[in-house]
Amino acid sequence: MFLERTRKRNPELIKVATQLHQAGDIPPNTYVFDADAFTKNGQALRHEAEAHNLKLYFMTKQHGRNPELFRRIVKPGTKETVSVNMEDSRILHRHGIGLGHMGNLVQTPRGELKKVIGTYQPEVITVFSIEKAQQISEVAHSLGLKQSILLRVHSREDVLFPGMEGGFYLEELSEAASVIKKLPGVEIAGVSTFPALAYNRDGNEPIATPNLHALIQAKDILDGLGIQIWQVNAPGNTACNTMSFLAENGVTHVEPGSALTGSSTFHLYQDNLPEEPCMVYVTEVSHKWDNQIYVYGGGFFVDDPPVSLRDNFVRKALVGNTPEKVLEQELIWKGIGARGGGSFAAIDYHGLLESQGHSCSVGDTVVFGFRTQMFMTRAYSAVVEGLSTNTPRLVGVWDWAGHRVGGGLE
């Protein structure tokens, strides 16, 4: 989806990723990140957020909670990251990266609360229910602490992704908050939702989902109960060009994720946005069979927004054994090799490319430019620095859980 944008705005990333793979320094099934551009994107997001008095929590799941990337963009001693699950929390804490927010997409398990509250100490934890607030209160109170929490809120008209529902309906909020505010170990710090923003048909300007309107209504309800609210958290589709819109609508905290790699839908359709593409997926030709090219899988979790499927959109990949050839040779990507082949679901043993008469060999490098949720894959991540100064260097390679496995293959 973002292959052409990356080839246009960051061709050096494709070249260096190809060189590293051909040299055996990175394995197939690796997301390669341009650390210079990633850092620059983080700085641009921070500048825009601070210009509108917004507080940042950087989303880590899309980028495999890679500690090398996030240590470059968070301020030392601050709590500026989002943890979606416990794996995120563990690796961020292990590397001394402060945890800002957890619980909005996946509730914190009861048995993990003591470690989370007492050791990881996130700034806020989102709760979907009175029961979860009670569990947090009991643990925090036993530790002599008071944990700040956010209440996830929704109207009946909100956008809710299947399998990600949860929270308090507006008509339930007053009663629930009245119970929760009496708990000794928690403090209601604010409200959250997901997703707060959507794209319009052309992908040019942000539009509010019903969730954002419900979020502000929820704040007003809590204000009416005398609860001091200091956080209105509005994640979803956050980028530099959405900050002013969010601030104007009463938001205080934002959670940029895909914008860190220049891979929101805004970046697909607009060439002048400050965030640059800085992530590619690199793998290798495994074999050929019946005019199809099979490439190693493991990282094919494709997070295409619906707009990419309009207008006969065709996914493609770049293939070759030199940087020059990779940049020139483009093949159609049919899908992955499960459920009969050609689909984009199930176990991705292989990706499938149409040969189209091109000359490809076993061992050739294959480069993709789609948007992903890397925490859902079993892919490696590699961080490269120095591309902006023409002095590229492989910083290291990490596994799917964010554990370093070396500067190359081990």
Side-chain angles (χ1 to χ4, degrees):
M1 183 174 65
F2 291 92
L3 190 61
E4 185 56 37
R5 180 71 72 221
T6 305
R7 183 160 55 175
K8 181 177 181 179
R9 293 191 63 176
N10 196 353
E12 288 303 311
L13 174 58
I14 297 174
K15 292 178 183 178
V16 170
T18 301
Q19 290 169 342
L20 289 171
H21 172 254
Q22 285 295 311
D25 292 327
I26 63 172
N29 184 36
T30 297
Y31 285 96
V32 182
F33 293 89
D34 175 351
D36 298 1
F38 190 91
T39 302
K40 183 180 177 182
N41 291 345
Q43 292 169 342
L45 289 160
R46 183 181 298 282
H47 174 78
E48 198 66 23
E50 291 178 349
H52 295 91
N53 296 313
L54 295 170
K55 172 80 180 289
L56 284 168
Y57 291 145
F58 291 110
M59 179 61 73
T60 61
K61 65 187 176 80
Q62 289 100 333
H63 321 104
R65 83 274 290 187
N66 185 289
E68 177 63 28
L69 292 173
F70 287 94
R71 73 166 184 82
R72 293 169 181 260
I73 62 172
V74 301
K75 289 183 177 179
T78 62
K79 298 183 177 183
E80 294 187 327
T81 60
V82 183
S83 167
V84 168
N85 55 28
M86 288 304 301
E87 287 72 20
D88 292 347
S89 300
R90 278 189 266 273
I91 202 68
L92 292 170
H93 176 74
R94 182 175 300 154
H95 289 270
I97 299 172
L99 182 58
H101 180 204
M102 63 186 304
N104 190 21
L105 298 181
V106 178
Q107 292 283 272
T108 307
R110 178 181 56 80
E112 303 274 16
L113 286 173
K114 185 175 181 179
K115 181 186 300 180
V116 167
I117 296 169
T119 304
Y120 300 166
Q121 298 182 338
E123 188 164 60
V124 291
I125 301 175
T126 287
V127 301
F128 292 5
S129 63
I130 292 174
E131 292 88 345
K132 184 57 66 177
Q134 289 171 331
Q135 291 175 2
I136 293 172
S137 175
E138 290 172 4
V139 172
H141 188 61
S142 72
L143 296 171
L145 301 172
K146 182 165 281 194
Q147 175 65 52
S148 293
I149 62 172
L150 304 180
L151 308 183
R152 178 160 155 172
V153 294
H154 289 294
S155 73
R156 298 284 177 176
E157 292 74 40
D158 275 11
V159 175
L160 297 172
F161 294 166
M164 297 171 64
E165 303 90 347
F168 302 92
Y169 281 120
L170 291 179
E171 61 266 28
E172 305 167 339
L173 182 59
S174 180
E175 183 177 353
S178 296
V179 173
I180 293 172
K181 74 175 184 177
K182 296 176 183 177
L183 299 175
V186 296
E187 173 188 55
I188 299 175
V191 289
S192 187
T193 187
F194 182 80
L197 293 182
Y199 306 106
N200 66 10
R201 180 173 176 81
D202 296 322
N204 292 326
E205 299 294 336
I207 58 174
T209 62
N211 309 42
L212 182 56
H213 301 307
L215 192 68
I216 303 305
Q217 293 179 56
K219 177 186 180 299
D220 293 340
I221 290 171
L222 297 182
D223 285 341
L225 295 175
I227 299 173
Q228 298 297 312
I229 297 302
W230 56 268
Q231 182 162 163
V232 179
N233 184 294
N237 302 326
T238 307
C240 285
N241 66 320
T242 69
M243 299 289 189
S244 60
F245 181 86
L246 289 166
E248 289 166 4
N249 280 274
V251 171
T252 66
H253 288 62
V254 293
E255 301 188 352
S258 293
L260 283 166
T261 48
S263 56
S264 76
T265 304
F266 299 118
H267 299 89
L268 183 63
Y269 286 100
Q270 300 181 61
D271 199 28
N272 61 346
L273 298 179
E275 301 97 336
E276 299 177 5
C278 61
M279 175 184 73
V280 292
Y281 178 62
V282 177
T283 189
E284 176 182 317
V285 174
S286 166
H287 61 282
K288 304 174 188 177
W289 181 262
D290 282 347
N291 296 317
Q292 291 190 131
I293 297 169
Y294 285 67
V295 305
Y296 295 107
F300 288 119
F301 188 95
V302 183
D303 187 30
D304 284 355
V307 294
S308 70
L309 305 180
R310 297 194 331 236
D311 304 323
N312 299 314
F313 179 84
V314 177
R315 297 181 174 95
K316 296 181 179 179
L318 302 175
V319 184
N321 58 11
T322 67
E324 294 74 23
K325 190 168 185 179
V326 165
L327 284 171
E328 294 175 357
Q329 186 164 247
E330 189 177 80
L331 277 70
I332 293 175
W333 177 25
K334 297 181 63 177
I336 64 174
R339 292 185 181 173
S343 70
F344 285 87
I347 303 174
D348 57 334
Y349 299 104
H350 298 95
L352 305 180
L353 306 178
E354 289 186 1
S355 63
Q356 301 170 279
H358 288 284
S359 175
C360 296
S361 299
V362 171
D364 277 1
T365 301
V366 186
V367 179
F368 295 84
F370 54 84
R371 188 172 77 181
T372 189
Q373 300 281 338
M374 190 182 165
F375 82 118
M376 291 295 295
T377 76
R378 59 187 190 278
Y380 296 96
S381 62
V383 176
V384 182
E385 65 181 9
L387 268 66
S388 61
T389 57
N390 295 316
T391 56
R393 183 181 76 87
L394 177 63
V395 178
V397 180
W398 287 259
D399 68 12
W400 69 272
H403 301 117
R404 185 166 185 147
V405 295
L409 297 179
E410 291 189 349

